[in-house]
Amino acid sequence: DAGITQSPRHKVTETGTPVTLRCHQTENHRYMYWYRQDPGHGLRLIHYSYGVKDTDKGEVSDGYSVSRSKTEDFLLTLESATSSQTSVYFCAISDGLEYNEQFFGPGTRLTVL
Amino acid sequence: AQSVTQPDIHITVSEGASLELRCNYSYGATPYLFWYVQSPGQGLQLLLKYFSGDTLVQGIKGFEAEFKRSQSSFNLRKPSVHWSDAAEYFCAVPELDTQGGKLIFGQGTELSVKP
């Protein structure tokens, strides 16, 4: 299994508070991704990174920011959490070689009250 | 633009019965195709992938998929389903001509298994 961890695995927070989710990899892969998964919507890409300090928006980036200061860590921040951001968040990594094959972390379940 | 369609949102099969999950794609070149499985409460795990060559691809857990260019399909099959196969299944293709190594996922098919 690819070495990907996510922390925390579960979080409950209140509307308006900032939240940071962490993705950590031990594979030295270049690409990292944050997705959210909601019933009826499948997986939706929030942000991705194609190298240290190189990030870009996905299809549902509003209300989220990311940072990647080291190859192994990709942080997702909700500046001011809203109830619509209650979701399961997945991190994924790819070395970009095998036609974008991605490996996924175990997920973080976030509840915003 | 590339796209992936999984026509079935939810499928129920009896344990021991055969299974086929449908995936249709739209792709501007020779497609590269993936099937992932997500067990309840887990992340996605790669089941199998097609890049080129033999159109029948074997994967983990007894799954296989057949690439049919004429039908733009990459259907997932298993001859005898086990209760542990209950999960959500996603088909995916790479997003071409963009940076970032992105995948385009279908909406997923949820599989329920009856005893």
Side-chain angles (χ1 to χ4, degrees), chain A residues 1 9 31 33 35 37 40-43 45 48 50 56-57 90 94 98-107, chain B residues 32 34 36 38 41-46 49 51 88 90 94-96 98-103 105-108:
Chain A
D1 289 345
R9 294 292 314 279
Y31 300 98
Y33 313 84
Y35 293 90
Q37 186 177 33
H41 292 277
L43 283 166
L45 183 65
Y48 63 98
Y50 47 96
D56 206 347
K57 298 178 180 179
F90 288 99
S94 170
E98 289 288 313
Y99 302 106
N100 304 351
E101 178 180 342
Q102 294 181 13
F103 302 92
F104 283 79
Chain B
Y32 307 104
F34 302 92
Y36 284 85
Q38 183 182 28
Q42 305 294 315
L44 276 70
Q45 180 184 19
L46 183 68
K49 56 193 176 187
F51 292 161
E88 190 154 20
F90 294 91
E95 186 171 306
L96 296 177
T98 62
Q99 69 177 0
K102 292 179 279 185
L103 287 176
F105 287 90
Q107 287 297 304

Side-chain angles (χ1 to χ4, degrees), chain B residues 59-80:
Chain B
I60 62 172
K61 305 186 181 187
F63 284 89
E64 66 179 25
E66 186 171 12
F67 168 61
K68 293 185 177 180
R69 184 187 298 274
S70 62
Q71 298 178 20
S72 298
S73 69
F74 188 55
N75 294 348
L76 183 70
R77 303 194 297 241
K78 187 170 185 178
S80 178

Side-chain angles (χ1 to χ4, degrees), chain A residues 18-23 33-34 46-49 55-58 60-68 74-81 85 89:
Chain A
V19 176
T20 295
L21 309 183
R22 180 181 183 236
C23 177
Y33 313 84
W34 277 108
I46 304 171
H47 281 281
Y48 63 98
S49 169
T55 65
D56 206 347
K57 298 178 180 179
V60 290
S61 59
D62 286 350
Y64 302 95
S65 62
V66 290
S67 65
R68 192 171 178 199
F74 193 33
L75 303 181
L76 177 71
T77 298
L78 290 64
E79 303 289 349
S80 177
Q85 294 175 312
Y89 291 86

